[in-house]
Amino acid sequence: MKHPILASLLALSGLAAADSLPLIPQPVNLKTGEGSFDFSAATGIRYDRTLKAEAGLFAADLKALTGSEPKAVTEEMRIMLPSEIRLDVDTTADLPAGGYKLEITPKTVVITGKDSAGAYYGTRTLLQLLPVANDPAWKDQAPEKLPAVSISDYPRFAWRGMMLDCGRHFFEVKDIKRFIDELAYHKLNVFHWHLTEDQGWRIEIKKYPKLTEVGAWRESSPPYGNRNGSDGKRHGGFYTQEQVKDIVAYATARHITVVPEIEMPGHAAAAIASYPKLGNDDIPGYAPKVITLWGVHPYTYAPTEDTFRFIDDVFTEVCALFPSKYIHIGGDEAPKTQWEKSPRVQELMKKEKLKDGHDVQSYFVKRVEKILAKKGRKLIGWDEIREGGLSPEATVMSWRGEKGGIDSAKEGHDVVMAPNSHLYLDHYQEPKEAALAKGQDKEAIGGFLPISKVYSYNPVPAALTPAEAKHVLGVQAQLWSEYFHDFPKVEYMAFPRMAALAEVAWTPLEKKNFEDFRSRLNSVLKHYDAVGLKHGDPDQPAK
């Protein structure tokens, strides 16, 4: 079985070979050896009994590649295998959490994880050294030559995330799982699931059925090329609680945490249309509905006891579905106009000595933080939750550049860096004119974000001291879905920029090199093509 990439690697030695291994993200330490290991469809898996789930997923992946399912046995079973990959765990290994070692010699392949996550990441690395699914090489039935190599690897950041907006456009469960598969392939470990919006409420809440009966549906959407227009087509959908449990379990098995986002106090029109008493119903012209246009809209939750009871009830059900330590409350783009017009809110401001709408938002967020704290969860929100004063234990996701993250870290708050300047994958990945020349369906919200700019990002701002930098939990890219009418468009915008994010999130800063990354990316592009993923062209010219 011949494979051109691996054949060329075997002809190399030393640093050149290390630099050329088609691995993304680039490992922390990699050293090539002599010879190669013969991998074939007969190669089995011998695993530590604590890694049964990881071994099962790895076996399924190998079956997808080779067409035949490898035999998988525990270490205790005295069953001879023609050749084997050992999957082990060593909690005493000199590695951080999520770390692993991969040793390939002519006789053995051993993956040893610091923990189960590390063992799983080691299997992702090994998969990248094999030909992709449907490669003609697998039909030869001859051994694939895996180059001898010693890898010691671990992630730079604990939070390596992707956000997908299902509020503006609803995507099927099968698509969400496909997305999770790709997060796992890239060693990303947080799926930030944006579930509620002005344009749609996407999660079943049993105590409040109108949220999905009313809030999950809108009468129309703007078509591509006409941002203020209407396609006249009803759009919607939601995830049942059983579907949510299924998706969470699917992600958890792949060492991915699902962080749900339930937007408040703004971006709440769909919920308020479902239960109008949740909004500022004491203002003139009050007529909430599920919004049919994009942008920022005025309907915000009223800061009343009824609203906080509703939020408590919703989070009771949300927390039962999501084991995530963090619950995202949004907090961005909340207009203060309705609060300014509401006699009820003006009374609250006098009572609580709140001087303006920013103080009202801070009051609101602090109340929500207490609700989550009683449920044993931590609040995370976009950097607008700083307005009027940040909640005591809140974590900030900084999207309007880095300032919100810098200021929060300096104040002792944890942060996730997610700036729109480098990590908004809803921006054009090629010059706008070139994109639209391919069709209106390539429309994006705006901006220009080539893969090289994504790759250039360093999540630790220079303005932070080493002590302050410890508050940077990690990094996350966003896929807002105004201009993603279907899932192939999501894929087209996400890939291959997700590969650049993966290296930003995992690889030590000093080991990053865009030209080398671009060379290694060719192997990942073959993976995308083999599994039928839509993706952009990484070699588009600069604007």
Side-chain angles (χ1 to χ4, degrees):
M1 185 184 295
K2 300 293 184 182
H3 192 263
I5 294 176
L6 294 178
S8 65
L9 294 175
L10 295 174
L12 300 172
S13 61
L15 183 61
D19 286 349
S20 300
L21 281 175
L23 299 175
I24 292 177
Q26 177 82 289
V28 176
N29 294 299
L30 186 154
K31 188 176 181 180
T32 56
E34 296 293 328
S36 60
F37 175 86
D38 286 348
F39 175 89
S40 72
T43 300
I45 303 168
R46 193 177 298 277
Y47 61 92
D48 183 290
R49 65 172 58 189
T50 64
L51 299 176
K52 181 178 180 180
E54 289 73 20
L57 290 172
F58 186 37
D61 291 327
L62 292 177
K63 181 180 179 181
L65 290 181
T66 67
S68 60
E69 188 165 359
K71 193 174 188 66
V73 299
T74 62
E75 290 178 330
E76 295 83 4
M77 295 181 70
R78 296 183 178 181
I79 296 176
M80 292 296 293
L81 299 171
S83 67
E84 64 182 39
I85 299 168
R86 292 182 63 87
L87 199 55
D88 245 323
V89 65
D90 179 4
T91 57
T92 68
D94 186 21
L95 289 167
Y100 69 92
K101 294 182 179 179
L102 169 60
E103 301 284 344
I104 302 177
T105 71
K107 293 185 178 181
T108 63
V109 177
V110 181
I111 298 170
T112 305
K114 171 74 171 184
D115 45 33
S116 58
Y120 181 72
Y121 297 142
T123 65
R124 302 306 91 187
T125 296
L126 188 59
L127 288 170
Q128 287 194 20
L129 291 174
L130 291 167
V132 297
N134 304 318
D135 191 298
W138 293 119
K139 298 179 181 178
D140 296 344
Q141 299 298 313
E144 175 64 43
K145 302 290 186 180
L146 283 174
V149 67
S150 177
I151 293 175
S152 178
D153 198 16
Y154 51 87
R156 182 183 178 195
F157 293 105
W159 187 300
R160 306 181 302 281
M162 283 289 308
M163 187 283 296
L164 179 62
D165 169 17
C166 293
R168 293 180 177 90
H169 280 99
F170 174 77
F171 304 113
E172 300 291 339
V173 170
K174 64 180 178 60
D175 296 323
I176 302 300
K177 288 184 174 181
R178 180 175 169 91
F179 190 70
I180 289 169
D181 285 339
E182 292 306 315
L183 297 185
Y185 180 85
H186 291 85
K187 297 190 180 79
L188 300 176
N189 70 339
V190 176
F191 171 39
H192 173 177
W193 198 5
H194 188 83
L195 286 165
T196 71
E197 257 305 333
D198 289 315
Q199 295 85 6
W201 181 284
R202 305 289 178 224
I203 180 171
E204 177 189 24
I205 302 297
K206 293 185 183 295
K207 190 167 184 178
Y208 297 95
K210 289 183 180 179
L211 289 172
T212 47
E213 291 171 2
V214 175
W217 307 91
R218 63 174 180 265
E219 293 307 311
S220 66
S221 310
Y224 287 128
N226 185 2
R227 299 186 175 201
N228 295 312
S230 168
D231 62 6
K233 299 176 183 176
R234 191 168 186 252
H235 176 85
F238 64 92
Y239 305 99
T240 68
Q241 293 200 359
E242 289 306 308
Q243 288 174 324
V244 170
K245 290 176 187 176
D246 180 41
I247 287 169
V248 169
Y250 191 87
T252 301
R254 290 154 180 80
H255 296 277
I256 292 169
T257 299
V258 184
V259 176
E261 181 177 356
I262 310 297
E263 274 270 16
M264 61 189 69
H267 288 285
I272 294 169
S274 305
Y275 294 95
K277 71 174 184 177
L278 298 173
N280 301 284
D281 59 357
D282 59 341
I283 64 172
Y286 184 76
K289 67 173 186 175
V290 183
I291 303 296
T292 59
L293 296 175
W294 315 134
V296 178
H297 299 278
Y299 280 89
T300 54
Y301 286 115
T304 64
E305 295 308 311
D306 282 345
T307 297
F308 292 123
R309 275 191 291 272
F310 164 81
I311 290 170
D312 196 332
D313 292 339
V314 167
F315 280 139
T316 294
E317 296 193 31
V318 166
C319 290
L321 297 170
F322 295 92
S324 168
K325 172 183 176 182
Y326 293 93
I327 303 295
H328 205 298
I329 68 152
D332 61 310
E333 298 177 330
K336 313 302 188 287
T337 51
Q338 290 193 348
W339 290 342
E340 292 167 355
K341 296 176 182 177
S342 165
R344 190 167 51 209
V345 175
Q346 295 305 309
E347 288 180 18
L348 174 71
M349 292 174 67
K350 290 178 184 177
K351 177 184 175 184
E352 300 292 337
K353 297 180 172 56
L354 308 175
K355 65 179 182 297
D356 57 23
H358 294 305
D359 278 4
V360 175
Q361 174 151 330
S362 179
Y363 168 84
F364 189 102
V365 172
K366 287 174 182 175
R367 288 287 302 267
V368 175
E369 183 179 53
K370 289 178 181 177
I371 289 170
L372 289 173
K374 287 180 181 178
K375 302 178 192 304
R377 306 305 177 91
K378 288 200 70 171
L379 180 151
I380 185 170
W382 303 108
D383 52 72
E384 284 98 327
I385 66 171
R386 293 182 51 80
E387 294 174 357
L390 189 55
S391 301
E393 302 298 325
T395 298
V396 170
M397 189 168 279
S398 187
W399 77 275
R400 297 180 298 177
E402 293 185 323
K403 188 177 186 304
I406 291 169
D407 291 345
S408 299
K410 285 182 176 295
E411 294 164 5
H413 291 270
D414 289 341
V415 301
V416 176
M417 302 306 289
N420 56 356
S421 59
H422 289 77
L423 298 174
Y424 267 43
L425 306 190
D426 56 334
H427 292 185
Y428 287 103
Q429 59 189 315
E430 58 188 306
K432 178 180 178 180
E433 297 75 15
L436 295 181
K438 298 174 183 177
Q440 287 290 342
D441 64 328
K442 297 298 186 289
E443 183 183 14
I445 194 169
F448 177 52
L449 185 61
I451 191 170
S452 57
K453 188 171 183 181
V454 177
Y455 189 85
S456 73
Y457 186 60
N458 177 11
V460 179
L464 298 180
T465 67
E468 292 164 349
K470 291 180 180 178
H471 286 291
V472 179
L473 301 180
V475 60
Q476 181 174 290
Q478 282 56 247
L479 286 161
W480 298 107
S481 71
E482 289 97 326
Y483 302 95
F484 304 164
H485 293 190
D486 53 31
F487 207 73
K489 180 66 176 292
V490 174
E491 295 177 349
Y492 177 78
M493 299 297 282
F495 305 103
R497 291 183 289 187
M498 186 187 288
L501 170 72
E503 198 139 306
V504 168
W506 182 283
T507 302
L509 185 62
E510 65 273 13
K511 285 188 171 288
K512 287 177 60 188
N513 178 285
F514 181 73
E515 288 71 26
D516 181 57
F517 164 80
R518 178 61 193 88
S519 176
R520 288 179 281 116
L521 183 61
N522 288 331
S523 181
V524 172
L525 292 173
K526 289 182 179 181
H527 160 77
Y528 296 162
D529 292 336
V531 299
L533 274 180
K534 303 293 183 185
H535 62 82
D537 180 354
D539 296 322
Q540 287 293 332
K543 191 170 182 179

